[in-house]
């Protein structure tokens, strides 16, 4: 059954070396296939290459060698990477990366700016996304007035705004207490189940691993276990 599902991510000998000459081999020949609707946890020690992998999958950085296909697009050949990023992937980072001077609502509206919709429709869509992620009613608060968990909900709503095929989350609960961690992981899992969005979540947390269909363990830039 699962084998018939669409492939969302495919990497071939994906390699990233930082620096010139004898640089840091952060990722070393990774071959990975991820199918539509999977919820994959990426684990591994600090410095093993997890963020490097996510950055390459999200076209935030380019590989030294190897190939990376996301939603059928070969990232080495995509002309407009900005467009790829805004249409195909959503990012959630450890430090939410919200704009501190904008309200929760305005932060979620940002990715919707490119859509051809009225201001009122954009505002309504952002509010709807915040409801979807269980954000509550602090729509007009700025990030500094929100808890860590609330900020991450805003970041998740923002990541969902353009209905991406793939959400890449790099330690989305890294700064949260254990209760908020469980809540955010439950939310990601629920979004995955209800909307079929594919998730790749870097986590050090057992709750993250429990939520996953599959755990990919990275060590020294290589996939050591995939189960
Ligand atoms: N911009 C960079 N320039 C040079 N080296 C880098 C750069 N980014 C990462 N590295 C190196 O690449 C290796 C992999 O780093 P990466 O950030 O992918 O690890 P990680 O698994 O995400 O670690 P952590 O769990 O601490 O976030 C490390 O040795 C790191 O020092
Ligand atoms: Mg990292």
């Amino acid at each position: 059954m699962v084998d018939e599902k669409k492939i969302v991510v495919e990497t071939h000998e994906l390699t990233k070396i930082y620096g010139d000459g004898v640089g840091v081999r952060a990722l070393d020949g990774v071959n990975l296939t991820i199918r539509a609707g999977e919820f994959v946890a990426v684990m591994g020690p600090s410095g093993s290459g997890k963020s490097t992998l996510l950055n390459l999958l999200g076209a935030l950085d380019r590989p030294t060698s190897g190939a990376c296909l996301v939603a059928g697009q070969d990232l080495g050949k995509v002309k407009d990477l900005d467009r790829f990023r805004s249409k195909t992937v959503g990012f959630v980072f450890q430090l939410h990366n919200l704009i501190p001077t904008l309200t929760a609502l305005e932060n979620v509206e940002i990715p919707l700016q490119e859509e051809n919709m009225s201001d009122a429709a954009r505002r309504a869509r952002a509010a709807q996304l915040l409801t979807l992620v269980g954000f509550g009613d602090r729509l007009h608060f700025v990030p500094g007035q929100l808890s860590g968990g609330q900020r991450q909900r805003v970041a998740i709503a923002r990541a969902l705004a353009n209905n991406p095929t793939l959400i890449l989350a790099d330690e989305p609960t890294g700064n949260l207490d254990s209760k908020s961690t469980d809540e955010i992981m439950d939310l990601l899992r629920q979004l995955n189940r209800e909307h079929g969005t594919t998730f790749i979540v870097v986590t050090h947390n057992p709750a993250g691993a429990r939520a996953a269909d599959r755990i990919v363990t990275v060590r020294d830039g290589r996939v050591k276990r995939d189960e």
Side-chain angles (χ1 to χ4, degrees), residues 8-217:
V8 171
V9 170
E10 200 175 345
T11 73
H12 297 281
E13 296 296 323
L14 195 64
T15 299
K16 177 71 183 181
I17 301 171
Y18 289 109
D20 306 323
V22 198
V24 181
R25 194 171 275 269
L27 219 55
D28 191 8
V30 167
N31 296 298
L32 204 58
T33 302
I34 294 172
R35 292 174 194 279
E38 279 196 282
F39 192 104
V40 180
V42 178
M43 304 188 82
S46 181
S48 57
K50 305 180 298 294
S51 295
T52 301
L53 174 63
L54 255 64
N55 291 344
L56 295 178
L57 296 180
L60 294 175
D61 201 357
R62 291 202 174 263
T64 307
S65 63
C68 187
L69 280 84
V70 176
Q73 303 170 79
D74 182 342
L75 299 192
K77 295 184 183 151
V78 172
K79 291 266 184 314
D80 188 346
L81 284 174
D82 282 338
R83 188 179 158 80
F84 162 79
R85 281 188 290 264
S86 69
K87 296 287 170 204
T88 313
V89 288
F91 296 95
V92 183
F93 298 99
Q94 177 170 2
L95 296 171
H96 64 75
N97 290 20
L98 299 176
I99 296 181
T101 51
L102 297 185
T103 66
L105 198 59
E106 289 164 346
N107 266 285
V108 180
E109 284 182 53
I110 294 173
L112 298 169
Q113 305 286 348
E114 292 171 30
E115 304 289 316
N116 188 13
M117 51 168 79
S118 69
D119 289 353
R122 188 179 301 119
R123 188 136 291 213
R125 167 87 176 132
Q128 182 198 21
L129 285 160
L130 284 165
T131 303
L132 178 73
V133 299
F135 175 73
D137 55 10
R138 302 194 152 191
L139 299 183
H140 302 291
F141 285 57
V142 296
Q145 298 169 316
L146 300 172
S147 72
Q150 288 167 337
R151 284 177 215 161
Q152 273 320 39
R153 285 179 199 268
V154 178
I156 292 163
R158 185 185 55 179
L160 290 169
N162 288 322
N163 278 320
T165 311
L166 174 67
I167 301 251
L168 299 169
D170 196 350
E171 299 193 50
T173 62
N175 266 353
L176 303 180
D177 60 36
S178 66
K179 181 168 170 280
S180 306
T181 293
D182 288 348
E183 286 171 3
I184 293 294
M185 279 300 169
D186 287 348
L187 170 64
L188 296 181
R189 186 67 214 205
Q190 180 201 336
L191 293 167
N192 162 258
R193 289 218 173 97
E194 289 176 5
H195 301 268
T197 311
T198 308
F199 278 78
I200 305 179
V201 182
V202 173
T203 179
H204 289 288
N205 193 280
R210 267 199 308 277
D213 296 322
R214 178 174 163 196
I215 301 175
V216 170
T217 306

